[in-house]
Amino acid sequence: MTKWYRENAPITADKLADELMRLKRGSVSRRHFLGVTGLGLATAVLARQPGLFNSTAYAEDLGTQMSIATWPNYHDPATFEAFTAATGVAVEVNVFGSNEEMLAKLQAGGTGWDLFVPTNYTISTYVKLGLIDELDLSKLPNYDASTENARFTSEGIVDGKTYAVPKNWGTTGIAVNSDKIKAPVASWKDFFEVAMTEADGRAMVHDYQLTTIGNALVSLGFSFNSVKPEELAKAEELLIKVKPHLYAINSDYQPAMRATDAWMTMCWTNDGAQLNRDMPDIKFVLGKDGGEIWSDFYAIPKSAANKPAGYALLDYLMAPENAVKEHIANGAPTTDSRVMKLLPADVTSNKIVYPDEAALTPLEFGAAVTLTDPGRAELMARFKSA
Amino acid sequence: MRVATNTKRNLITAALLAPAAAWLTVFLVLPFTAMLVFAFGERAPEGGYQAAFTFAQFANLPTRAAAFWNTLLLAPAGALLCLVVAYPVAYFLAVRANPRYRLILVSLVVVPFWTSLLVRTYAWMYILGSRGIPNLLSMIGIEDVRMLNTPGAVLLGIVYGYLPLMIMPIYVSLERLDRRLLEASADLGGKPVSTFFGVTLPLSLPGVMTGVALVTILLLGEYLIPQLLGGGKVFFIGNALVDLFLQSRNWPFGSAIAVTLVAIVVVVLMVAMRIAWKVAGTRQVDLV
């Protein structure tokens, strides 16, 4: 009986499984397998689609998916799409509001992150707790330590070993809707005063002890990083006094600012740049009395399930031609002089993104002790439950 | 012979119960035991848990008095509010609605449950924010209305989110209602109002109690709605737990609060059940 009608039909499931087992046993070659099953043709057709399956640049098997933990409004979604197109690895993005939250998740285990974005002051703690790997720089050919600004990279290096490489730096300032608020806001002292008067019911603070307590301390003339009980007590008093006047305690403040539900908020550089770009009425100011300067890093958790993909994405992000797109979209200043050269002049001349050195002078980097200080954690809880 | 059959039957019963027992052990007993152990421990210097035997965590409970107070006030209040809205809906569905459309109407109540509460709450953030209802109000001249991040928004979110859980048990108890009892009441001269209060309402009370208990218990653990619609300014036990586990990494204190919350839930449940049984029981006696 002739089976002519099946000669050109697609392979049956049984036959495919059969051929796959033969390939696995090594009794047929990969070429034979692809030819017999028709997958070779299919792959050839798909390969003409830009970006699918052309994973030749990566020696290791990258799998099909990976996961990154990062901050709100922090990446150009097109970056991950382009990475997926280039490697076939889908990127799941987890968004967090504070470093404490990230640390808590990593300590509890089973995050599934292959890459994450910790802030400068947390890295020594991550190393001490054994939660991150020393980076194998040979897997990051696109990273060049010599083009990085040492001011922002030093905290990624612990005991001479590189545990994290920088993503970008930035500041924590104040975003003010100048259409709604006429009073001058130039310092954290002004911020808290205006929050209780002209911006009553319209001001936001972060759901994040480092910046919310830190800026309250600064407004009282203390250090951003203070853990002294008597200074913290004064900051607590101020925060509890301000609380009934606040619109919200939330680190994801862009939606409320854009909808003009909120008129003033504690704000990170990149968000300030994005808000100001889309709504010029929203100004970004640095406290002349102080505040925070920070740099964010990329690190790979010890528990990462797909380290090859983590390294591949990290290397992809370190390539200046990819990084520059991220910087234009995200608005945070770069630490890499190669990227700086590629950035358009309207970005490098933007005073929100690259403020004058004098404006940066009063700012402080976060200190490792504030991350783990139980006093600050309890203060934040009392503030929120007040 | 008889003994042998009994043993066999016992064995079969045990085998049938084993999966449920295993499930309870793995997903209820073990986590709860871990939580109890944590609750008597200490916070490690870098956060997390460190073995110890101390009552310090329980002694520290008063620092979260506001959270307990807010929660214990909100949970029953939210449940009662749900009840007020849900009862007429359930009554309409079970008694008044055309039986032909009843299934469709009941599905309309349930369908929103297929979407994540998070997504639906975000939708409310938009509706209550400046670009939503306040924007419409400003078109008719009512300016500067603030709806989002107010206690009203939290109550609205709670009623919206938990309504189906209240409607369904009441609907079920009303649906099983014997229509002949209503006819009997009418025949004996009962006006619709007295029939409702004398027959319908009492017979639906078990459903009401189930709904109230269900919603109250779930509300005791609520944290999402106050966070998103209340702006994170009103602190509930759920929010305190999220903070303790995710921000201050104080697992022992978080566990102590969770254990206390579970104890409260058990008491609420027992009281609710007792009342429900009592009400249902006496009514049945009356009817006989």
Side-chain angles (χ1 to χ4, degrees):
Chain A
M1 194 159 81
T2 167
K3 282 188 182 167
W4 61 269
Y5 58 92
R6 295 184 61 180
E7 293 281 291
N8 292 318
I11 190 168
T12 64
D14 284 350
K15 187 111 188 297
L16 176 68
D18 213 45
E19 286 293 337
L20 184 63
M21 288 318 290
R22 287 179 67 193
L23 173 72
K24 280 194 164 177
R25 285 194 306 266
S27 67
V28 301
S29 71
R30 187 163 170 270
R31 180 184 292 268
H32 170 87
F33 173 73
L34 291 176
V36 158
T37 57
L39 285 172
L41 182 67
T43 318
V45 171
L46 284 170
R48 294 171 64 190
Q49 311 286 320
L52 280 176
F53 293 118
N54 50 345
S55 57
T56 42
Y58 298 93
E60 277 178 283
D61 181 13
L62 300 181
T64 55
Q65 58 183 29
M66 64 165 293
S67 142
I68 180 172
T70 183
W71 310 114
N73 320 304
Y74 215 37
H75 297 270
D76 184 353
T79 304
F80 298 129
E81 283 163 24
F83 176 75
T84 306
T87 61
V89 182
V91 183
E92 181 199 299
V93 181
N94 296 291
V95 170
F96 284 80
S98 73
N99 280 285
E100 282 80 355
E101 246 177 283
M102 280 188 179
L103 171 57
K105 287 262 168 153
L106 276 177
Q107 266 185 320
T111 57
W113 308 337
D114 304 302
L115 191 63
F116 76 119
V117 186
T119 306
N120 51 295
Y121 69 104
T122 65
I123 292 166
S124 58
T125 305
Y126 281 124
V127 173
K128 192 159 82 182
L129 295 174
L131 293 170
I132 54 176
D133 272 342
E134 185 190 350
L135 290 177
D136 180 354
L137 293 179
S138 69
K139 289 183 178 155
L140 303 172
N142 285 328
Y143 170 69
D144 183 354
S146 70
T147 59
E148 296 285 349
N149 181 340
R151 178 185 200 171
F152 302 111
T153 55
S154 56
E155 283 174 277
I157 301 166
V158 180
D159 299 330
K161 296 175 185 164
T162 304
Y163 285 90
V165 291
K167 170 173 174 25
N168 50 242
W169 65 280
T171 58
T172 310
I174 304 162
V176 193
N177 188 324
S178 59
D179 187 36
K180 304 281 187 187
I181 296 174
K182 299 299 171 203
V185 180
S187 64
W188 289 108
K189 194 163 178 292
D190 296 344
F191 176 91
F192 287 105
E193 270 164 22
V194 172
M196 288 186 275
T197 53
E198 207 183 331
D200 192 354
R202 302 288 190 173
M204 288 175 78
V205 299
H206 293 169
D207 186 1
Y208 185 21
Q209 64 84 7
L210 181 80
T211 46
T212 292
I213 298 175
N215 293 327
L217 285 164
V218 166
S219 78
L220 297 164
F222 304 126
S223 160
F224 181 83
N225 286 306
S226 174
V227 289
K228 288 183 192 148
E230 64 279 11
E231 294 179 2
L232 287 177
K234 293 218 173 89
E236 179 174 353
E237 198 185 317
L238 171 65
L239 286 172
I240 287 173
K241 194 170 82 175
V242 171
K243 190 181 171 188
H245 302 281
L246 291 177
Y247 174 70
I249 303 168
N250 193 335
S251 304
D252 192 12
Y253 41 82
Q254 278 212 31
M257 286 298 285
R258 285 175 188 269
T260 65
D261 284 325
W263 298 345
M264 182 170 77
T265 182
M266 293 184 176
C267 182
W268 288 295
T269 302
N270 46 303
D271 289 297
Q274 288 172 24
L275 286 168
N276 180 260
R277 177 186 64 203
D278 301 337
M279 298 176 70
D281 280 336
I282 299 180
K283 311 287 183 208
F284 178 83
V285 262
L286 290 176
K288 64 173 194 280
D289 45 2
E292 188 198 14
I293 183 169
W294 46 264
S295 46
D296 277 342
F297 288 76
Y298 287 113
I300 293 183
K302 193 153 261 171
S303 60
N306 189 356
K307 283 183 190 169
Y311 273 104
L313 178 61
L314 178 50
D315 193 49
Y316 183 86
L317 290 162
M318 284 295 135
E321 66 274 19
N322 297 326
V324 73
K325 289 182 203 150
E326 279 272 288
H327 282 279
I328 291 168
N330 137 328
T334 181
T335 59
D336 187 341
S337 62
R338 296 175 302 172
V339 177
M340 193 75 177
K341 282 190 200 116
L342 296 175
L343 283 168
D346 63 315
V347 172
T348 50
S349 64
N350 183 339
K351 287 289 173 232
I352 294 178
V353 187
Y354 295 99
D356 299 327
E357 198 54 41
L360 298 179
T361 312
L363 307 183
E364 293 169 78
F365 277 101
V369 63
T370 64
L371 178 71
T372 50
D373 181 59
R376 285 180 71 126
E378 265 298 294
L379 196 173
M380 193 66 192
R382 285 196 300 268
F383 162 57
K384 285 168 74 178
S385 66
Chain B
M1 189 64 190
R2 197 189 163 87
V3 173
T5 330
N6 270 348
T7 319
K8 201 173 168 190
R9 191 177 293 158
N10 286 345
L11 273 175
I12 292 170
T13 312
L16 287 173
L17 283 176
W23 193 89
L24 277 177
T25 311
V26 173
F27 293 109
L28 192 73
V29 178
L30 286 182
F32 192 74
T33 312
M35 213 162 70
L36 262 182
V37 172
F38 280 172
F40 291 99
E42 282 175 348
R43 180 188 192 270
E46 312 292 348
Y49 164 76
Q50 185 169 291
F53 186 78
T54 164
F55 290 91
Q57 310 305 339
F58 290 97
N60 206 11
L61 282 177
T63 61
R64 295 299 186 274
F68 274 99
W69 178 241
N70 284 340
T71 308
L72 294 178
L73 205 67
L74 170 105
L80 284 180
L81 205 59
C82 279
L83 176 62
V84 169
V85 181
Y87 200 94
V89 179
Y91 183 80
F92 173 80
L93 287 176
V95 182
R96 291 293 158 97
N98 185 336
R100 205 191 301 172
Y101 303 118
R102 191 173 287 157
L103 196 65
I104 299 172
L105 292 172
V106 171
S107 347
L108 284 179
V109 171
V110 181
V111 161
F113 248 52
W114 296 350
T115 320
S116 150
L117 181 63
L118 180 70
V119 175
R120 289 182 284 139
T121 309
Y122 263 99
W124 276 110
M125 282 175 78
Y126 189 84
I127 296 171
L128 298 176
S130 294
R131 291 170 183 171
I133 298 173
N135 189 26
L136 294 177
L137 289 176
S138 75
M139 284 176 191
I140 56 167
I142 305 168
E143 296 288 343
D144 272 339
V145 178
R146 261 202 52 202
M147 293 185 155
L148 192 58
N149 294 6
T150 58
V154 176
L155 280 180
L156 183 106
I158 281 166
V159 171
Y160 170 77
Y162 290 87
L163 201 55
L165 290 176
M166 186 65 87
I167 293 177
M168 289 324 288
I170 301 177
Y171 167 77
V172 169
S173 65
L174 282 173
E175 217 240 336
R176 281 197 239 126
L177 193 74
D178 190 342
R179 300 304 158 94
R180 287 171 304 180
L181 294 172
L182 301 182
E183 284 162 20
S185 170
D187 287 348
L188 294 171
K191 292 194 178 74
V193 175
S194 56
T195 301
F196 176 78
F197 284 105
V199 182
T200 314
L201 184 63
L203 283 175
S204 67
L205 278 183
V208 170
M209 290 314 296
T210 312
V212 170
L214 200 63
V215 172
T216 307
I217 288 163
L218 288 173
L219 278 178
L220 287 173
E222 177 60 45
Y223 81 96
L224 188 76
I225 295 171
Q227 190 69 35
L228 294 180
L229 297 179
K233 289 188 295 176
V234 188
F235 213 60
F236 295 103
I237 294 178
N239 305 84
L241 288 175
V242 169
D243 266 22
L244 282 166
F245 282 96
L246 293 186
Q247 302 262 356
S248 27
R249 301 182 306 289
N250 193 341
W251 297 4
F253 190 29
S255 301
I257 290 181
V259 167
T260 312
L261 183 63
V262 169
I264 293 172
V265 170
V266 168
V267 170
V268 167
L269 196 64
M270 276 166 61
V271 170
M273 286 307 201
R274 183 59 56 91
I275 295 173
W277 284 332
K278 208 167 185 177
V279 168
T282 49
R283 289 297 161 184
Q284 263 162 17
V285 172
D286 279 358
L287 286 170
V288 170

